[in-house]
PDB file of all heavy atoms in Angstrom:
ATOM      1  N   VAL L 176       1.849  25.904  -0.719  1.00  0.00           N
ATOM      2  CA  VAL L 176       2.456  25.023  -1.722  1.00  0.00           C
ATOM      3  C   VAL L 176       1.475  24.789  -2.873  1.00  0.00           C
ATOM      4  O   VAL L 176       1.873  24.718  -4.039  1.00  0.00           O
ATOM      5  CB  VAL L 176       2.876  23.690  -1.084  1.00  0.00           C
ATOM      6  CG1 VAL L 176       3.330  22.688  -2.147  1.00  0.00           C
ATOM      7  CG2 VAL L 176       3.985  23.922  -0.068  1.00  0.00           C
ATOM      8  N   ALA L 177       0.196  24.690  -2.540  1.00  0.00           N
ATOM      9  CA  ALA L 177      -0.813  24.480  -3.583  1.00  0.00           C
ATOM     10  C   ALA L 177      -0.840  25.656  -4.557  1.00  0.00           C
ATOM     11  O   ALA L 177      -0.963  25.465  -5.768  1.00  0.00           O
ATOM     12  CB  ALA L 177      -2.182  24.287  -2.954  1.00  0.00           C
ATOM     13  N   ARG L 178      -0.723  26.876  -4.029  1.00  0.00           N
ATOM     14  CA  ARG L 178      -0.689  28.052  -4.904  1.00  0.00           C
ATOM     15  C   ARG L 178       0.515  27.997  -5.841  1.00  0.00           C
ATOM     16  O   ARG L 178       0.397  28.223  -7.049  1.00  0.00           O
ATOM     17  CB  ARG L 178      -0.634  29.334  -4.073  1.00  0.00           C
ATOM     18  CG  ARG L 178      -1.949  29.761  -3.476  1.00  0.00           C
ATOM     19  CD  ARG L 178      -1.756  31.005  -2.615  1.00  0.00           C
ATOM     20  NE  ARG L 178      -2.397  30.832  -1.320  1.00  0.00           N
ATOM     21  CZ  ARG L 178      -1.955  31.345  -0.181  1.00  0.00           C
ATOM     22  NH1 ARG L 178      -0.837  32.055  -0.171  1.00  0.00           N
ATOM     23  NH2 ARG L 178      -2.612  31.154   0.942  1.00  0.00           N
ATOM     24  N   TRP L 179       1.678  27.724  -5.247  1.00  0.00           N
ATOM     25  CA  TRP L 179       2.894  27.678  -6.057  1.00  0.00           C
ATOM     26  C   TRP L 179       2.827  26.560  -7.095  1.00  0.00           C
ATOM     27  O   TRP L 179       3.134  26.777  -8.272  1.00  0.00           O
ATOM     28  CB  TRP L 179       4.111  27.484  -5.154  1.00  0.00           C
ATOM     29  CG  TRP L 179       4.606  28.743  -4.527  1.00  0.00           C
ATOM     30  CD1 TRP L 179       4.511  29.107  -3.218  1.00  0.00           C
ATOM     31  CD2 TRP L 179       5.274  29.827  -5.179  1.00  0.00           C
ATOM     32  NE1 TRP L 179       5.071  30.347  -3.003  1.00  0.00           N
ATOM     33  CE2 TRP L 179       5.551  30.811  -4.201  1.00  0.00           C
ATOM     34  CE3 TRP L 179       5.662  30.070  -6.498  1.00  0.00           C
ATOM     35  CZ2 TRP L 179       6.196  32.012  -4.501  1.00  0.00           C
ATOM     36  CZ3 TRP L 179       6.315  31.261  -6.801  1.00  0.00           C
ATOM     37  CH2 TRP L 179       6.571  32.211  -5.809  1.00  0.00           C
ATOM     38  N   ALA L 180       2.451  25.381  -6.667  1.00  0.00           N
ATOM     39  CA  ALA L 180       2.444  24.229  -7.575  1.00  0.00           C
ATOM     40  C   ALA L 180       1.463  24.423  -8.725  1.00  0.00           C
ATOM     41  O   ALA L 180       1.800  24.181  -9.898  1.00  0.00           O
ATOM     42  CB  ALA L 180       2.111  22.958  -6.795  1.00  0.00           C
ATOM     43  N   SER L 181       0.245  24.847  -8.411  1.00  0.00           N
ATOM     44  CA  SER L 181      -0.764  25.021  -9.458  1.00  0.00           C
ATOM     45  C   SER L 181      -0.401  26.175 -10.390  1.00  0.00           C
ATOM     46  O   SER L 181      -0.664  26.117 -11.598  1.00  0.00           O
ATOM     47  CB  SER L 181      -2.141  25.244  -8.845  1.00  0.00           C
ATOM     48  OG  SER L 181      -2.161  26.401  -8.026  1.00  0.00           O
ATOM     49  N   SER L 182       0.215  27.229  -9.853  1.00  0.00           N
ATOM     50  CA  SER L 182       0.590  28.377 -10.682  1.00  0.00           C
ATOM     51  C   SER L 182       1.737  28.040 -11.624  1.00  0.00           C
ATOM     52  O   SER L 182       1.716  28.414 -12.805  1.00  0.00           O
ATOM     53  CB  SER L 182       0.973  29.560  -9.791  1.00  0.00           C
ATOM     54  OG  SER L 182      -0.107  29.945  -8.967  1.00  0.00           O
ATOM     55  N   VAL L 183       2.744  27.331 -11.117  1.00  0.00           N
ATOM     56  CA  VAL L 183       3.857  26.927 -11.970  1.00  0.00           C
ATOM     57  C   VAL L 183       3.372  25.983 -13.071  1.00  0.00           C
ATOM     58  O   VAL L 183       3.737  26.119 -14.242  1.00  0.00           O
ATOM     59  CB  VAL L 183       4.971  26.265 -11.136  1.00  0.00           C
ATOM     60  CG1 VAL L 183       6.014  25.619 -12.040  1.00  0.00           C
ATOM     61  CG2 VAL L 183       5.633  27.299 -10.221  1.00  0.00           C
ATOM     62  N   ALA L 184       2.518  25.032 -12.704  1.00  0.00           N
ATOM     63  CA  ALA L 184       1.979  24.106 -13.700  1.00  0.00           C
ATOM     64  C   ALA L 184       1.146  24.853 -14.736  1.00  0.00           C
ATOM     65  O   ALA L 184       1.193  24.538 -15.934  1.00  0.00           O
ATOM     66  CB  ALA L 184       1.132  23.034 -13.008  1.00  0.00           C
ATOM     67  N   PHE L 185       0.403  25.862 -14.294  1.00  0.00           N
ATOM     68  CA  PHE L 185      -0.416  26.664 -15.201  1.00  0.00           C
ATOM     69  C   PHE L 185       0.469  27.387 -16.217  1.00  0.00           C
ATOM     70  O   PHE L 185       0.176  27.401 -17.420  1.00  0.00           O
ATOM     71  CB  PHE L 185      -1.224  27.664 -14.384  1.00  0.00           C
ATOM     72  CG  PHE L 185      -2.238  28.449 -15.170  1.00  0.00           C
ATOM     73  CD1 PHE L 185      -3.178  27.819 -15.966  1.00  0.00           C
ATOM     74  CD2 PHE L 185      -2.275  29.839 -15.087  1.00  0.00           C
ATOM     75  CE1 PHE L 185      -4.127  28.543 -16.681  1.00  0.00           C
ATOM     76  CE2 PHE L 185      -3.216  30.573 -15.784  1.00  0.00           C
ATOM     77  CZ  PHE L 185      -4.136  29.925 -16.582  1.00  0.00           C
ATOM     78  N   GLY L 186       1.551  27.982 -15.744  1.00  0.00           N
ATOM     79  CA  GLY L 186       2.465  28.662 -16.650  1.00  0.00           C
ATOM     80  C   GLY L 186       3.119  27.709 -17.623  1.00  0.00           C
ATOM     81  O   GLY L 186       3.214  27.989 -18.835  1.00  0.00           O
ATOM     82  N   MET L 187       3.574  26.548 -17.126  1.00  0.00           N
ATOM     83  CA  MET L 187       4.227  25.581 -17.995  1.00  0.00           C
ATOM     84  C   MET L 187       3.260  25.004 -19.018  1.00  0.00           C
ATOM     85  O   MET L 187       3.671  24.554 -20.085  1.00  0.00           O
ATOM     86  CB  MET L 187       4.849  24.463 -17.165  1.00  0.00           C
ATOM     87  CG  MET L 187       5.943  24.931 -16.206  1.00  0.00           C
ATOM     88  SD  MET L 187       7.233  25.911 -17.028  1.00  0.00           S
ATOM     89  CE  MET L 187       7.936  24.676 -18.124  1.00  0.00           C
ATOM     90  N   GLY L 188       1.975  25.008 -18.692  1.00  0.00           N
ATOM     91  CA  GLY L 188       0.983  24.508 -19.633  1.00  0.00           C
ATOM     92  C   GLY L 188       0.784  25.404 -20.845  1.00  0.00           C
ATOM     93  O   GLY L 188       0.086  25.013 -21.790  1.00  0.00           O
ATOM     94  N   HIS L 189       1.379  26.606 -20.823  1.00  0.00           N
ATOM     95  CA  HIS L 189       1.220  27.544 -21.939  1.00  0.00           C
ATOM     96  C   HIS L 189       2.522  27.765 -22.719  1.00  0.00           C
ATOM     97  O   HIS L 189       2.573  28.630 -23.596  1.00  0.00           O
ATOM     98  CB  HIS L 189       0.721  28.895 -21.424  1.00  0.00           C
ATOM     99  CG  HIS L 189      -0.697  28.871 -20.941  1.00  0.00           C
ATOM    100  ND1 HIS L 189      -1.064  28.299 -19.737  1.00  0.00           N
ATOM    101  CD2 HIS L 189      -1.844  29.360 -21.488  1.00  0.00           C
ATOM    102  CE1 HIS L 189      -2.367  28.431 -19.569  1.00  0.00           C
ATOM    103  NE2 HIS L 189      -2.867  29.069 -20.611  1.00  0.00           N
ATOM    104  N   VAL L 190       3.566  27.020 -22.413  1.00  0.00           N
ATOM    105  CA  VAL L 190       4.867  27.291 -23.038  1.00  0.00           C
ATOM    106  C   VAL L 190       4.888  26.929 -24.515  1.00  0.00           C
ATOM    107  O   VAL L 190       5.764  27.418 -25.250  1.00  0.00           O
ATOM    108  CB  VAL L 190       6.004  26.546 -22.300  1.00  0.00           C
ATOM    109  CG1 VAL L 190       6.149  27.052 -20.878  1.00  0.00           C
ATOM    110  CG2 VAL L 190       5.776  25.037 -22.325  1.00  0.00           C
ATOM    111  N   LEU L 191       3.984  26.095 -24.979  1.00  0.00           N
ATOM    112  CA  LEU L 191       3.961  25.722 -26.386  1.00  0.00           C
ATOM    113  C   LEU L 191       3.072  26.628 -27.224  1.00  0.00           C
ATOM    114  O   LEU L 191       2.975  26.443 -28.449  1.00  0.00           O
ATOM    115  CB  LEU L 191       3.506  24.262 -26.539  1.00  0.00           C
ATOM    116  CG  LEU L 191       4.422  23.207 -25.907  1.00  0.00           C
ATOM    117  CD1 LEU L 191       3.869  21.815 -26.143  1.00  0.00           C
ATOM    118  CD2 LEU L 191       5.841  23.321 -26.456  1.00  0.00           C
ATOM    119  N   ASN L 192       2.397  27.595 -26.597  1.00  0.00           N
ATOM    120  CA  ASN L 192       1.573  28.531 -27.352  1.00  0.00           C
ATOM    121  C   ASN L 192       2.444  29.403 -28.249  1.00  0.00           C
ATOM    122  O   ASN L 192       3.595  29.692 -27.920  1.00  0.00           O
ATOM    123  CB  ASN L 192       0.772  29.423 -26.404  1.00  0.00           C
ATOM    124  CG  ASN L 192      -0.393  28.692 -25.772  1.00  0.00           C
ATOM    125  OD1 ASN L 192      -0.364  27.477 -25.612  1.00  0.00           O
ATOM    126  ND2 ASN L 192      -1.425  29.429 -25.404  1.00  0.00           N
ATOM    127  N   PRO L 193       1.904  29.860 -29.387  1.00  0.00           N
ATOM    128  CA  PRO L 193       2.690  30.727 -30.275  1.00  0.00           C
ATOM    129  C   PRO L 193       3.162  31.997 -29.554  1.00  0.00           C
ATOM    130  O   PRO L 193       2.381  32.655 -28.868  1.00  0.00           O
ATOM    131  CB  PRO L 193       1.696  31.074 -31.395  1.00  0.00           C
ATOM    132  CG  PRO L 193       0.695  29.969 -31.366  1.00  0.00           C
ATOM    133  CD  PRO L 193       0.571  29.560 -29.939  1.00  0.00           C
TER     134      PRO L 193
END
Side-chain angles (χ1 to χ4, degrees):
V176 172
R178 282 177 228 147
W179 278 109
S181 60
S182 300
V183 170
F185 187 53
M187 298 307 295
H189 290 75
V190 296
L191 297 181
N192 285 27

